[in-house]
Amino acid sequence: MDIEFVRSRFIKHFDGSTGVVYASPGRINLIGEHTDYNGGFVFPGAIDKGMVAELKVNGTNKVRAYSIDLKDYIEFGLNEEDAPRTSWAKYIFGVCREIQKRGYTIAGFNTAFAGDVPLGAGMSSSAALESTYAYALNDIFNLGIDKFELAKIGQATEHNYCGVKCGIMDQFASVFGKEGSLIRLDCRSLEYEYFPFDPKGYKLVLLDTLVKHELASSAYNKRRQSCETVAKTIGVEFLRDASLEQLAAVKSQVSEEDYKCAEYVIEEVQRVLDVCDALKAGDYETVGAKMYLTHYGMSKLYEVSCEELDYLNDVAKECGVTGSRVMGGGFGGCTINLVKDDLYEPFIAKAKAGYKEKYGKSPKVYDVVISDGARKLA
């Protein structure tokens, strides 16, 4: 995202003055899907696409905000009753309120922002927006809030102002991201560790199916219930603490559907750890093999894939792509693919042509590079 472009819009809308420019990235998750609410591990990284915002304190108790991408301007106060109805503004308002709820004082400011995180592609554009403003307000008003709390402020904004009961991963990756590294986050203890991700000779590319099936939210709740049922039957708090042997021992006490869900989760928790070991050894072939196993598990055991995602996964396999899987909750969105440089062009060409022939549209292609988290730009 071009800083100068954002600055030019800010100058135009706010009387020729300039402020301070901040950015936060979207994220990918290499492996570790549906493990967060099972107390397991996730393995995200910040990407080279995100949100950029310019801010300047304006001497009032009002926020004056301009969305460059939507060409939309709004003003709102900083008290609870001032909540804006415009959906994009709720993210900025929510961050302001969550900072204030923690006992910090902020004042009115002017801001303009734009982003190049594709909306609805599973790269967490909303977390990028929240993290940008949490980081910026912390810096501008010298609040001294630590990075973990900034991530929690973004998460609480989703919960309390945007109606999404998300986990911490998206905001965490956006704040803590580091160029050339993925982050293994323990969703129970919130301990984290960086692992090197520098796949020389490979590209990381997302293929967006451009579909989002309506099943997603009801199916998510159902899968979550399945996991909780099996954990309770085994006698553990989370499936993260269960083994496949313990699962086999209760097979007759749970439904087949619940059993398959639990089998996927227990295997996926272990796959994250296996991928960490593989990255330490620079073994990207093993990383890729584990990605394919995750896709199989999400499609056949957890049953949260869809025809379009399975098709793109099959094409990846046919083209010799190192690793491919559905990324995110499922029922649409993107596949994430680890592709050798020399296979990249033929893979993309075949995927686009085959998908268009089958579904009447071409998938969107997003090359991503693992990059830094929230930061001040200028």
Side-chain angles (χ1 to χ4, degrees), residues 18 54-55 73 136 157 219 235 315-316 321:
T18 59
E54 185 155 3
L55 292 85
Y73 174 83
T157 296
V315 172
V321 168

Side-chain angles (χ1 to χ4, degrees), residues 57 71 90 134 201 262 303 320 342 349:
V57 178
K71 297 185 170 59
K90 287 177 182 175
E303 296 182 7
D342 58 341

